[in-house]
Amino acid sequence: MKETEVKLDDEGFEEVESGEKQAGSNRPDMRVVQADRDRDGNVVYSNVGGMWRNISKNGNEFYTLRIGQLKLLVFPNDRK
């Protein structure tokens, strides 16, 4: 896969705090889990992060993905 650098400043993506959430509520819109097995072979899911939906100042939707201390921005792949 070829890596390319994309300038997001040109598209107006800027992370802003959403006013929709209640104070003190930082529950993710989507959870990120890791599947593992216990001693008996049963599937165990460990919480490793979450995804939060954001809207930029220009009205573009994107997600913030956090896994531990890693923070990534996730954008829809709608370029053709």
Side-chain angles (χ1 to χ4, degrees):
M1 185 168 135
K2 183 179 178 184
E3 289 187 28
T4 58
E5 185 174 323
V6 178
K7 291 196 175 232
L8 298 175
D9 297 336
D10 298 338
E11 296 192 20
F13 286 105
E14 181 180 335
E15 187 172 4
V16 294
E17 294 295 322
S18 174
E20 300 172 7
K21 309 245 184 213
Q22 296 175 357
S25 173
N26 197 16
R27 186 174 175 164
D29 295 313
M30 294 182 206
R31 295 183 314 147
V32 179
V33 297
Q34 180 178 6
D36 201 1
R37 300 235 177 226
D38 63 6
R39 291 188 327 190
D40 301 325
N42 299 324
V43 177
V44 177
Y45 297 104
S46 301
N47 235 357
V48 295
M51 285 180 64
W52 290 264
R53 182 176 163 266
N54 295 298
I55 299 177
S56 69
K57 289 183 179 179
N58 290 349
N60 298 321
E61 182 179 328
F62 66 99
Y63 283 85
T64 302
L65 169 65
R66 288 204 75 134
I67 299 175
Q69 294 296 313
L70 178 65
K71 180 179 178 182
L72 302 170
L73 301 180
V74 181
F75 300 96
N77 191 14
D78 54 3
R79 290 190 179 183
K80 296 187 180 185

